[in-house]
Structures are given as structure tokens and as C-alpha cells.
Amino acid sequence: MQIIILENAEQVASGAAQWVAEVIKQKTNPVLGLATGSTPISLYKQLVEYHQKGQLSFENVTTFNLDEYHNIEAENPQSYRTFMKQNLFDHVNIDQEKTYLPTCRNDQNPRVQGLAYEEQIKNAGGVDLQILGIGANGHIGFNEPTSSLASRTRIKTLTKQTLQDNSRLFKKDEYQPTMAMTMGIATILDARYVLLMATGKNKAAAVKQMITGPVTAMCPASALQMHENAIILIDKDAASELTEQEYFQWANQEHQKINQTFGLFI
Ligand code: GLP
């Protein structure tokens, strides 16, 4: 794991944007794994800005989102499709036919839909860079605690904590879905690079467990310890429970020298 501790959320967003831009520029047909939630919003803002300044083209980019609510219309204001359109897709030159989310209607078999999504990712050549946030309970995507570390795209019932955490995004009498389709932990681990963003004190305990706790289904993000190229971009608040902060800062300074000479990716 490469742990990068930055001053604030703004720096986390612009750090993440640099990695994303680099993948898009380096690959002929870049495949991005995308996340929703409040954390990546400022990353998407930065990417839109790069695009508007003529510095970044999404022409050849394919995207796969981590998750989508079960049985939700794409046009629903609460769908992750709507979130992605509002925050990224509608503002850049991406071919929206090449933007995928793991959808599943009531009349569709979630197992079939899950397998089909895995197939689509494979056919696109796999994910080059997967963006992740982290839930306060350590979830990634909607892989709630106790999710199998070998899981693939499937339907999940959300925990009370996640429903509570996300309820702020729903109006008082708006229906809040309780199930979602999500890439599995093994799906996420298949990405060539994963980049997890976390900001704020409410993520500090989950971040500590992810980085220094045991690899356990109780903290799905801890599975990233098994990933060859995991980049963890966090602000000081999210890093506040880590006792190894000084070492991480030092190691990162050393890494930066290597990055400056050889670039961010292999
Ligand atoms: C949501 C999403 C995750 C996201 C997490 C944290 O439930 N399914 O992909 O990382 O919760 O969200 P936020 O960034 O708003 O804290």
C-alpha cells in the first residue's frame, strides 16, 4: 500500500485527479472504475476542469461504476447514473454508451446481471484504475462488513449504518433503496491500480482498520492490503488514528522522487 497523507480534502481531490489524468493519457483505451459518494465529487470537478481547459480528453475512456441501487430507473434523481451524469459524464466528451453501471430491475435475475457485468469488464480489458471511497464501517462499493473477500458483482442488502449514513442524501419522504448491486471485493482487487480516497474524522477508524488492522471480511477495505498497487490518498483528519503517520510521510517523500523521475505508473 502506498499511503499518501495530505493536508486537506482539496489536496486529496487534486492528487487523485493527477493519477486519473495520467492513466487517461498513458493508455490507448483507458478503463476507469468509478465511485459515487461525497468524497469523489471534488475529484470529478477537477477532471471536468482539466477537460474544459483542453488538457484532458475522455474520447477513448470506458467506465465501470462500482455500484448502483437495485431496481432504480436511470432517470431517477437518486440513481448513481444520475449522480455520474451530473458530476462527470454530462460535462466531458465521454461516449455515454461506454459508461457502465451494474443495474438490476425487479424482473431481472441479479445473479445473471452480476455475471453479465463481470463479463463486460473483462471484455473491456479489465479496469486500469479503480477509484474508491470508504464507508465509516469499512465498506468499499457496497461490500458491507462480512462480504466475502472472493465476492464478485452481486446484490447486497445494505446495513443499518450505511442506510443511516446515506439518509442525508434523501429527502424526508423520498424512498431510500435498501439493496444495491455492487462489484465484489475480488472484482475490485482485479483492477490494475486501486486508488482509495478518504477525508474527515468520521473515516479515521475505518482507515486505521483498513491499513493496520487484520485482513478481515469485517472491514472489506482491509482486502486492499492484498493488492499489489493500492494507493491510499487521505487527509490529516482521516489519518488521525494512524500511529505510523511519520513513517508514511517520509516514505511518501522518497516515493515522490521516484515518481518525478519515472512517472506515476509502470
Ligand atoms: C457509499 C458508496 C461507497 C462510498 C461510501 C462513502 O455508500 N457505496 O462507494 O465510498 O458510501 O461515501 P462518502 O464519500 O459520501 O462518505
Side-chain angles (χ1 to χ4, degrees):
M1 275 182 166
Q2 202 177 321
I3 319 293
I4 304 174
I5 303 170
L6 298 165
E7 215 46 52
N8 50 43
E10 242 186 326
Q11 286 188 9
V12 168
S14 51
Q18 277 171 30
W19 288 90
V20 175
E22 197 63 22
V23 172
I24 295 179
K25 285 176 188 162
Q26 275 191 20
K27 300 270 170 177
T28 327
N29 291 301
V31 180
L32 297 176
L34 299 177
T36 52
S38 346
T39 316
I41 290 179
S42 34
L43 155 67
Y44 299 141
K45 218 182 220 165
Q46 180 78 63
L47 293 175
V48 170
E49 223 174 283
Y50 284 159
H51 173 70
Q52 285 168 348
K53 285 186 185 151
Q55 295 163 349
L56 195 62
S57 170
F58 288 74
E59 207 183 340
N60 300 315
V61 175
T62 301
T63 65
F64 287 93
N65 264 77
L66 278 169
D67 43 22
E68 176 59 286
Y69 286 120
H70 180 236
N71 197 38
I72 198 166
E73 298 288 327
E75 300 73 28
N76 186 307
Q78 289 292 353
S79 79
Y80 284 168
R81 165 70 68 189
T82 301
F83 174 100
M84 290 312 304
K85 282 171 74 68
Q86 284 173 349
N87 288 290
L88 184 68
F89 299 159
D90 285 352
H91 310 290
V92 294
N93 63 334
I94 197 163
D95 174 358
Q96 296 206 24
E97 295 286 309
K98 293 198 299 185
T99 61
Y100 299 89
L101 284 95
T103 56
C104 186
R105 293 190 314 264
N106 257 345
D107 61 349
Q108 290 175 312
N109 183 339
R111 298 198 182 96
V112 174
Q113 292 298 104
L115 277 176
Y117 200 61
E118 291 285 327
E119 214 42 44
Q120 282 171 324
I121 297 174
K122 219 180 280 166
N123 292 341
V127 171
D128 292 308
L129 177 68
Q130 176 67 56
I131 303 297
L132 295 170
I134 184 169
N137 63 1
H139 76 216
I140 45 177
F142 270 132
N143 293 285
E144 297 286 29
T146 72
S147 286
S148 161
L149 302 185
S151 52
R152 294 267 159 200
T153 306
R154 70 211 184 291
I155 194 162
K156 284 294 288 183
T157 304
L158 308 182
T159 60
K160 288 258 162 67
Q161 184 180 351
T162 298
L163 290 169
Q164 172 68 38
D165 288 349
N166 287 355
S167 63
R168 70 185 196 281
L169 306 167
F170 291 80
K171 290 190 205 102
K172 227 174 161 211
D173 35 312
E174 201 173 20
Y175 170 68
Q176 183 179 1
T178 55
M179 290 174 101
M181 292 291 289
T182 179
M183 280 188 197
I185 297 176
T187 321
I188 293 169
L189 292 179
D190 276 350
R192 292 180 190 95
Y193 281 82
V194 295
L195 192 162
L196 184 141
M197 306 166 70
T199 58
K201 275 242 189 294
N202 64 325
K203 299 294 172 68
V207 163
K208 182 184 167 65
Q209 262 204 300
M210 162 178 72
I211 297 171
T212 61
V215 175
T216 164
M218 287 312 290
C219 176
S222 68
L224 301 183
Q225 291 177 31
M226 303 297 289
H227 196 285
E228 210 180 345
N229 298 302
I231 306 143
I232 313 294
L233 277 179
I234 49 181
D235 70 355
K236 286 203 155 150
D237 284 342
S240 58
E241 289 192 25
L242 292 169
T243 43
E244 303 76 5
Q245 283 180 60
E246 207 178 301
Y247 169 69
F248 292 141
Q249 299 275 25
W250 177 44
N252 189 40
Q253 280 165 19
E254 299 301 305
H255 261 281
Q256 271 179 20
K257 291 179 206 156
I258 298 170
N259 290 344
Q260 270 156 21
T261 317
F262 300 104
L264 291 176
F265 295 101
I266 323 154

